[in-house]
Structures are given as C-alpha cells and as structure tokens.
Amino acid sequence: MKIGLVLEGGGMRGLYTAGVLDVMMEHQFMPDVVCGTSAGVTFGVNLLSQQKGRVLRNDHIAWVCRLCYPRYKALLRAIEQRNDRYNARLQQIRRLEQEGKVFVLRPSENISVGRLEKDVARLQALHQLGVSDATRRWDDLVRYLSM
C-alpha cells in the first residue's frame, strides 16, 4: 500500500502542520508521496528534508504571480479561484473521511492565529498543539495505515 500525505495552506497557521510533521519525524514516518498547497508545500519541505522544527514562510503568491506572469491569464484565474476550489476539496475530504478512505488530523482546538501572525508565543503554542494532537492520535494513524 502506498501512503500519501496532503498538506493544506494557511500562512503562519501552518505551524500546526509543522508540529504534526515534527512528530512524524520523531516516529521516522515517511509517506510515499507528499503534496500540498501554499504554506503546506513549504512546511512539507520540513518532512522531506528531515529538518525538525524548521519554519519556512510563503506569502503573497497572488501578488507575485500578477507581477511576474501578467500574460498568463489562465494561471491568474486559477489563483483567483483557489478559494472556491479549496472549499470544494474540504467537502470532498470530509466525505472521504466519513467513508473511512482517508485519515485526517486537524487541530483539536479553534485556531486564533492569523495568516501573518507575528506573535512568537502564539506561533509556538500553535506548533505545540500540532505536536500534542499528533502524539495523541499517533496510534489511530498507525491502526488506519495497517487496515
């Protein structure tokens, strides 16, 4: 069985994901495929490079694309429609989770960290929430993967 890991975006809220990835590295867990969007891609680099605790930042992608690729209308349209596509994927993920076809690890608490959060203590707390949630659900993940 091949194992895939999908990482969502969300700017600095991705520190939750970074905490989850740190626990995966502690358990020497490496999926066969890793993909993501926006900040999920940059935080996924942490897992692939096995650099626990590394924090990367990826902001202003739409602005950069408009500046660098003004002639590529399809690209710009895709970037502008990403929110609608994202919401459709969330609905699909919920359905697949209910059917037992995917394992989803999401924050156990509401996240009040903004995409461009600069408060180091809040960012560290979000990372720790990722570590705590992943540690608490690790056995569930192992059971799911052995089905």
Side-chain angles (χ1 to χ4, degrees):
M1 170 176 69
K2 294 222 179 227
I3 298 171
L5 178 64
V6 180
L7 306 170
E8 67 175 332
M12 295 310 290
R13 291 176 289 200
L15 279 169
Y16 176 85
T17 299
V20 170
L21 296 175
D22 284 353
V23 172
M24 289 181 173
M25 284 183 264
E26 287 174 10
H27 288 275
Q28 299 176 350
F29 174 81
M30 181 60 75
D32 299 298
V33 177
V34 178
C35 64
T37 184
S38 192
V41 172
T42 57
F43 287 108
V45 169
N46 299 351
L47 180 65
L48 297 174
S49 64
Q50 292 293 292
Q51 295 184 42
K52 184 177 171 193
R54 179 177 179 195
V55 177
L56 301 175
R57 191 168 177 171
N58 181 16
D59 294 331
H60 309 299
I61 191 166
W63 178 83
V64 171
C65 288
R66 279 193 295 279
L67 180 67
C68 297
Y69 307 109
R71 297 182 336 188
Y72 298 95
K73 303 300 181 198
L75 171 65
L76 297 175
R77 212 172 16 260
I79 291 169
E80 290 168 3
Q81 295 172 353
R82 71 187 188 277
N83 293 337
D84 293 334
R85 298 169 105 188
Y86 174 79
N87 289 330
R89 291 301 163 258
L90 281 180
Q91 290 177 351
Q92 180 183 27
I93 289 167
R94 285 185 194 106
R95 181 180 51 78
L96 292 171
E97 182 181 24
Q98 289 173 347
E99 294 171 2
K101 294 181 178 177
V102 297
F103 180 89
V104 178
L105 183 59
R106 60 178 57 89
S108 60
E109 301 172 12
N110 288 332
I111 294 177
S112 61
V113 171
R115 293 169 42 119
L116 304 176
E117 182 67 58
K118 292 180 171 56
D119 183 325
V120 174
R122 290 177 67 157
L123 294 172
Q124 288 174 334
L126 181 57
H127 180 269
Q128 185 55 46
L129 179 62
V131 169
S132 298
D133 286 349
T135 299
R136 183 176 46 80
R137 301 247 357 250
W138 187 258
D139 290 340
D140 297 335
L141 175 60
V142 170
R143 271 191 299 282
Y144 175 81
L145 293 174
S146 65
M147 291 176 34

